[in-house]
Amino acid sequence: MFIKQLSIFIENRPGRINEVTKALAENDINIVCVSLSDTVDYGVFRLIVSNPKTAQEILTSKGFSSTLTDVVGVKLPPHFGMLNKLTDALTEATISLSYIYALNSGKDDAAVIIKTSDNKKALDAIKAAGLEILNPSAAYNL
């Protein structure tokens, strides 16, 4: 039930993100979701894409360094406190949240992508809390 996230290590200079998005667009890879974190010289461009393995191969051929990482997608109904319900479940299971970013999963629901200290244990905690895990194939085809 894990989603494959493509993480690209990228220099902080004009045009580098454009090179990534152009390479993917030219090869009919849909970018479903993005997150960018940076330092002074480099950044990590995290993507959920329609075909993670092919996207990684394309970017490797263009000279980009990247990895595929297992992450969890969690649907959050549009009610107050739903993110807190998720973080409560992880806290109760003594799971650290490494990072989180938003994913639009449809007009009525939102979702988040999370990376934790123990993704397998997180799946169990999330399900026990009554939250819905986003199916990987559904995530790749948003």
Side-chain angles (χ1 to χ4, degrees):
M1 268 311 230
F2 297 122
I3 295 169
K4 292 292 184 189
Q5 170 190 269
L6 179 62
S7 298
I8 304 122
F9 305 98
I10 194 164
E11 303 91 354
N12 282 347
R13 62 180 172 88
R16 286 303 275 172
I17 290 175
N18 183 61
E19 291 174 40
V20 170
T21 60
K22 183 176 182 176
L24 297 177
E26 288 174 343
N27 288 277
D28 297 322
I29 302 289
N30 186 37
I31 298 172
V32 176
C33 183
V34 302
S35 172
L36 178 64
S37 58
D38 69 334
T39 62
V40 174
D41 296 320
Y42 291 91
V44 179
F45 193 31
R46 294 182 175 107
L47 307 174
I48 304 300
V49 297
S50 57
N51 190 330
K53 186 171 175 29
T54 301
Q56 184 181 35
E57 291 168 359
I58 291 163
L59 294 174
T60 297
S61 75
K62 301 280 187 185
F64 288 95
S65 176
S66 64
T67 60
L68 290 176
T69 305
D70 286 338
V71 294
V72 178
V74 184
K75 286 189 176 184
L76 298 177
H79 307 295
F80 291 107
M82 294 310 295
L83 184 58
N84 179 246
K85 185 174 183 176
L86 170 61
T87 58
D88 275 348
L90 296 175
T91 299
E92 287 177 26
T94 64
I95 300 168
S96 297
L97 186 60
S98 302
Y99 55 81
I100 183 171
Y101 55 97
L103 168 68
N104 181 3
S105 62
K107 70 176 188 168
D108 295 327
D109 286 324
V112 291
I113 297 295
I114 62 172
K115 172 74 170 84
T116 70
S117 58
D118 186 335
N119 282 339
K120 187 173 183 189
K121 190 176 172 184
L123 284 176
D124 294 336
I126 293 163
K127 289 176 187 174
L131 295 170
E132 185 179 348
I133 303 296
L134 185 61
N135 180 297
S137 64
Y140 302 145
N141 292 299
L142 288 174

